[in-house]
Amino acid sequence: QVQLVESGGGLVQPGGSLRLSCAASRTIFSINVMGWYRQAPGKQRELVAHIGRGGSTNYADSVKGRFTISRDNAKNTVHLQMNSLKPEDTAVYYCYAEYLSTGYWGQGTQVTVSS
């Protein structure tokens, strides 16, 4: 099993930045894919970004050029650097890990972009 704990959410003004972190309970060398999803009120959960074990990345079109996902293997942590935030980025952000063909989710962290 994998436990995931997110941190770094909060309230930020449009155009601002936030950095989300997701700490995994086991070495992320053993985790095939880690990523971030988000769910806004009344909407389905959607992919934000994925990073593979080898470092390959995939982003939703809506965040390309603004968000960056990265892995810190020494700390078993994945980060999501979010720049140029927009009100439409407001959502609960969930960390995701795929380990031995099973998906695991964190508890979520709220990101609110508002003036």
Side-chain angles (χ1 to χ4, degrees):
Q1 287 192 348
V2 181
Q3 283 78 47
L4 303 169
V5 178
E6 301 107 332
S7 61
L11 173 65
V12 64
Q13 292 186 343
S17 298
L18 280 176
R19 187 191 195 208
L20 304 183
S21 297
C22 174
S25 61
R26 61 168 53 246
T27 174
I28 62 175
F29 277 122
S30 62
I31 298 175
N32 186 37
V33 175
M34 294 192 71
W36 291 91
Y37 286 73
R38 66 187 181 187
Q39 188 166 18
K43 295 187 177 181
Q44 290 189 334
R45 192 172 295 190
E46 62 176 4
L47 169 70
V48 176
H50 272 167
I51 185 165
R53 187 162 45 195
S56 61
T57 58
N58 180 42
Y59 295 93
D61 288 342
S62 59
V63 307
K64 283 181 181 177
R66 300 188 298 122
F67 291 11
T68 303
I69 189 170
S70 61
R71 298 168 72 121
D72 184 341
N73 293 330
K75 296 183 179 180
N76 297 325
T77 301
V78 172
H79 302 288
L80 184 69
Q81 178 66 43
M82 305 186 294
N83 298 328
S84 301
L85 283 160
K86 304 175 181 179
E88 51 263 44
D89 294 318
T90 295
V92 178
Y93 283 69
Y94 295 91
C95 183
Y96 170 83
E98 181 188 298
Y99 174 67
L100 296 181
S101 300
T102 299
Y104 297 89
W105 296 92
Q107 80 285 356
T109 186
Q110 177 70 45
V111 171
T112 302
V113 185
S114 175
S115 56

